[in-house]
Amino acid sequence: MTDINAIRTIAVIGTGTIGASWTALFLGAGKAVRASDPAPGAEERLRAAVGQAWPSLEVLGRHGDQTAEEALARLTFHADPAEAATGADFVQENAPERIEIKRDTYAKLESALRDDVIIASSTSGIMPSELQAGMTHPERLVVGHPFNPPHLVPLVEIVPGGQTSEQVAEDATAFYRAIGKTPVRLHKEVTGHIANRLQGAILREAVYLALEGVASVKDIDLALAEGPGQRWSIMGQCAVFNLAGGIGGMAHFLEHLGPAVQDWWDDLGAPKLDDRAKKVLIDAFPKMDEDSFKAALDHRDHALLRRLKALAADKLD
């Protein structure tokens, strides 16, 4: 069993959007970070990203009363993943979604890591059992899939592979919870894990409705954001329907509205993401310039921050 309090140094492998956000979160939790990324200028971009994320961590109280400068003093950058892994107590791997790159990365990491150090992959789609092939210690690998941006969105999906030890899955879960994440444990591997499958199902029906001419893409998005989305930030869909059943709960809901739900399911569409479907989506969301893209990101993150802060306050009341 890993002593969660003894995890003080994190190796972050791959420092793009996800890796940079993880880095900010780890630094906010008081950890030292040894980062690695082969892209030119990666270190400068990483340090800038941490600086940009820091005010949000301060608002959420996830900065440990540190300044960004104090936290960044605990960040070192290394060209070689093995060098970054040296002395690390935990690894968060964010390499490109290509299995051969990830396997090559694991070989380099394992040459430098202690045998008991967990390697958590941020992969959104590759099965952990596939990633474990060829590893010296496959029992140490587990998927720790975040939602973007990890320093704001609480969810992290814990997915053990076929050779992952139960202790590793439990320790990874405990570690993420200790730094403020909300871990969700999967009991079997499945393409897309949980949240991406749910997103995919909603996207499929949104595309179907648009192709059928029911409404515009923008209005379909608005229906989600201003309707179910308002409740989804508080509780999941099953819990929503449980409340819809009144004091009788889910049993009452299913008794009275179960047939209607079955009718909805039977009538759901199954469109293909073909050229016509792609055109509907692209026409609704034309390309942005750099300024408009940044404005959209800022709007998303600031809105997330306000909601997370409000929800945190509710938990304290």
Side-chain angles (χ1 to χ4, degrees):
M1 179 176 180
T2 300
D3 179 359
I4 301 305
N5 293 323
I7 297 178
R8 298 188 178 91
T9 301
I10 316 295
V12 175
I13 310 301
T15 60
T17 300
I18 298 298
S21 184
W22 272 123
T23 298
L25 183 67
F26 293 144
L27 290 173
K31 310 300 180 183
V33 174
R34 298 174 63 85
S36 179
D37 192 299
E43 179 175 5
E44 292 75 13
R45 287 192 296 274
L46 175 60
R47 291 183 178 276
V50 170
Q52 291 167 2
W54 205 255
S56 296
L57 293 173
E58 290 177 332
V59 169
L60 294 173
R62 297 178 184 169
H63 65 303
D65 291 327
Q66 314 163 83
T67 66
E69 291 73 20
E70 289 169 336
L72 284 167
R74 297 194 314 281
L75 171 64
T76 58
F77 200 90
H78 310 270
D80 183 4
E83 185 179 345
T86 301
D89 304 310
F90 189 93
V91 176
Q92 188 72 44
E93 171 268 307
N94 317 283
E97 288 285 276
R98 291 170 52 189
I99 195 164
E100 65 275 11
I101 292 179
K102 289 185 181 290
R103 286 177 176 169
D104 180 65
T105 300
Y106 299 153
K108 293 175 181 176
L109 294 173
E110 288 200 296
S111 71
L113 289 170
R114 300 190 313 272
D115 293 350
D116 63 334
V117 175
I118 295 170
I119 299 175
S121 176
S122 295
T123 182
S124 59
I126 303 176
M127 299 291 189
S129 290
E130 295 179 13
L131 295 175
Q132 289 172 322
M135 290 184 67
T136 304
H137 293 284
E139 71 281 357
R140 72 160 94 210
L141 184 127
V142 67
V143 166
H145 173 245
F147 247 49
N148 187 33
H151 72 281
L152 289 182
V153 181
L155 177 67
V156 58
E157 296 173 311
I158 310 297
V159 192
Q163 300 180 73
T164 306
S165 79
E166 177 60 25
Q167 193 63 60
V168 162
E170 291 179 5
D171 288 347
T173 300
F175 168 70
Y176 286 125
R177 184 175 288 116
I179 62 170
K181 300 293 285 180
T182 301
V184 171
R185 171 76 181 271
L186 274 70
H187 299 299
K188 63 182 293 185
E189 299 172 78
V190 61
T191 301
H193 315 320
I194 298 172
N196 274 333
R197 290 180 72 92
L198 294 173
Q199 284 194 135
I202 293 167
L203 176 62
R204 182 174 67 180
E205 184 61 17
V207 168
Y208 172 76
L209 292 171
L211 291 174
E212 290 294 303
V214 173
S216 69
V217 172
K218 291 294 181 68
D219 277 351
I220 292 166
D221 261 8
L222 194 62
L224 281 171
E226 296 298 327
Q230 296 294 318
R231 299 186 299 208
W232 287 340
S233 66
I234 304 166
M235 63 183 68
Q237 188 59 57
C238 297
V240 166
F241 281 163
N242 180 57
L243 283 183
I247 60 174
M250 184 64 78
H252 184 74
F253 173 82
L254 292 175
E255 179 183 353
H256 288 271
L257 289 174
V261 172
Q262 186 62 59
D263 287 344
W264 301 343
W265 285 359
D266 292 342
D267 198 52
L268 291 175
K272 297 295 183 182
L273 197 56
D274 55 18
D275 289 344
R276 179 172 172 242
K278 290 177 182 176
K279 185 176 187 303
V280 165
L281 292 172
I282 292 169
D283 287 349
F285 296 98
K287 289 184 178 179
M288 295 179 281
D289 57 29
E290 187 172 341
D291 289 341
S292 58
F293 176 69
K294 184 179 184 305
L297 280 182
D298 287 345
H299 172 74
R300 180 201 69 183
D301 289 354
H302 290 157
L304 271 173
L305 187 61
R306 290 193 298 272
R307 178 154 291 190
L308 287 166
K309 187 178 179 183
L311 290 173
D314 282 346
K315 290 178 181 179
L316 292 174
D317 287 344

